Amino acid sequence: MQAPQPVNASPPTANLSWHRSLVGKLVIFMLLGVLFAYLMGALSGFLMVERGAREQWWREAQVNTQIVSATIRRIYTSVAVKTDDTGQVTHIISPRAIGDEESVLETGFSPVDVLALASAQTRNNVWLFAESPQGKLEKMVDARNTVESNALLAVSSWRSMSQAADFYVGFAKIGNEEHFISSLPIVTSEGQLLGVVVSTIGQKASLYQIRNDLIQKAFLALLAVLLATALLLSILMRRLFRPVPVLVRALTAIAKNQTQSTTPYTQRKDEIGRMANAIDALRKKVIEREHLLDVKDEALRFQHLAHHDELTKLPNRIQLNDALKAAVRSLLQGDVFNVMLFDLDHFKEVNDSLGHAAGDALLIEVSQRVQGLLTENDLVARLGGDEFAIIQSVSRSALEEAKALAGQIVATLHAPFHIDAQVIQIGVSVGIAMAPTDGDDSYELLRNADIALYAAKAEGRDRYMLFTLGMKMTPNTIRER
C-alpha cells in the first residue's frame, strides 16, 4: 500500500470569487461595521458642527446688531434703544425716520456715512430699509452699494409686515442674494415701524462652504479609512484563514475517494486543528469503508461464482438444489411445478470436430435460447458439460405447460447454430417429472426426470418424454453425449 502523502500546505486559494469566500465575507462585514460606525460618528459630528456654526452665526449677528445700534446712537443723539433681559438691543426708538434731510442737517452725516461706519466695524455690509407704498421693505441705502437699487428684504418666516417690527436673526433674501442677517427695527415710541437696519455676517453660500469642505474632507477620510481597513483586514484574514481552502480541498478529495494524502494542520491546537483532525478521521473512516466494500464485493463475487456456472453465467447445481428444496416446501401451500432435465444430442461430436472453444460458444448460445423461452418465475441451471435442468412454475395445467415448454426447447435447439462461420445442427433430449405427481422431494423428482431423459434418448433423441410409473432405466438404455 502506498504511504500517505501530506497535502501541500500552501496551494492557491479555492476557486471562489472574493466576495463569496470566507475572507471576503468577513472583510465586507468588518468594512460595513466600520462604515456604519464612521457614518454615525460623521453624522453626529456634522450635526454638532452645524449646530455650533448656527450658534456662532447667531452670536456674530447679535454682536453686529450691538455695533450698528451703538454707531447709530453716536450719530443720532435723539434716538434710544430697547433691549431684552440679556441686554441685547432689539429696537431703535426714534421720533422720525433715520436718514431724512432734517437728520442730515442736524448731524452732518448722510445715511451712507453712518452705515459705512457700522460696516467698517462689522466688516460686512449694512443696509437701511423702509416700507414702500406697496407694503414691502425696500432698500434706501447700503454701506457698500453692492445690491441693486430698490432691492427688497424678504424673510420666509414673515407672514405680514407687522412681523418686521420685531428683532430677527436668521437667513433672509436681499435682492437676489441670501444672507444670514440681524434685522433691527426702527420704531416710534408708539411702536410704529419707520424702517429696518440690516447687518449681515455673510452670504449663505460662503457660510455653507465650511460645511461643504467638512463633508468633503470627511468623505475623503472615510475612503482612506475604508481602504486601509480593507487592506489590513484582507492581510489578517488571509493569514488567519489560509488553512481553510486547504481543508476544503482535502474534503473534496475525500468525497472523490482520493484518500492517499494525509490531512495537514492536525498538529494545531486551535479550531483549525480540531477541524483538520475531524477531516482526517473522516478520511480514515472512508478508507475503512472502502476496504469493507472491497471485502464485501469480493465475497459477493465468490458467492456468485459458487452458485453460478462460470461459462454460461447460469445458476449451477448448488443453486438448483436450493431452489428445488424451496419449491418442494411450497408444495405444502398447494403450488405445482415441473422439473426438466435435458442434454444436447451430438455435443461430443461438436467438441471433437470443431474444438472446445466452439463447444463453449455453442453452450452459451444454447443457454441464451433457453432463457428466452422461460418466464420470470422459471429457473434454468447448467449441471455440467451439456446437461441442464429447469424448474418450471405452473400456473394452470402442469401437463400442458410442461409439454408446451419442452416442445419449444426441442424446436428452438433443433434450429441451426452459427458458430465461427460454421453451421452446427444438434438436437436435445428432455425428461420431465411433475411435482407432486411424480415425487414430492428433490431426489425423487431429479431421479424421475433423469429416467424420462434416458427414455427420450432411447426413443431416438430430439424429443421430450414425460415420466410415467413403471418407467425405469435398463442396461440397454445408454446415454450418448
Side-chain angles (χ1 to χ4, degrees), residues 4 255 314 387:
L314 293 177
E387 188 175 5

Side-chain angles (χ1 to χ4, degrees), residues 31-49:
L31 287 178
L32 290 176
V34 171
L35 179 63
F36 177 77
Y38 189 89
L39 289 177
M40 292 297 100
L43 179 61
S44 176
F46 173 77
L47 293 177
M48 292 177 61
V49 169

Side-chain angles (χ1 to χ4, degrees), residues 143-256:
R144 298 182 180 181
N145 197 26
T146 58
V147 180
E148 66 274 12
S149 301
N150 303 322
L152 300 178
L153 173 65
V155 178
S156 60
S157 61
W158 289 354
R159 297 292 178 264
S160 64
M161 184 57 65
S162 61
Q163 291 182 282
D166 295 327
F167 179 65
Y168 170 78
V169 175
F171 285 107
K173 196 169 184 180
I174 301 176
N176 296 322
E177 298 176 350
E178 192 167 4
H179 293 258
F180 193 90
I181 67 164
S182 60
S183 173
L184 182 63
I186 303 172
V187 297
T188 64
S189 58
E190 290 80 16
Q192 180 183 358
L193 181 65
L194 300 176
V196 175
V197 179
V198 174
S199 61
T200 179
I201 66 170
Q203 292 188 25
K204 182 177 182 181
S206 61
L207 292 175
Y208 273 99
Q209 185 62 40
I210 299 175
R211 183 197 65 175
N212 296 336
D213 292 342
L214 176 64
I215 294 175
Q216 183 178 4
K217 291 178 181 178
F219 179 73
L220 294 176
L222 173 61
L223 288 181
V225 170
L226 289 178
L227 288 176
T229 304
L231 180 61
L232 179 62
L233 286 177
S234 296
I235 295 174
L236 292 177
M237 293 299 103
R238 285 185 182 277
R239 291 182 62 86
L240 180 61
F241 291 98
R242 182 180 298 172
V244 174
V246 181
L247 296 180
V248 170
R249 279 191 295 278
L251 273 175
T252 304
I254 292 173
K256 297 178 180 178

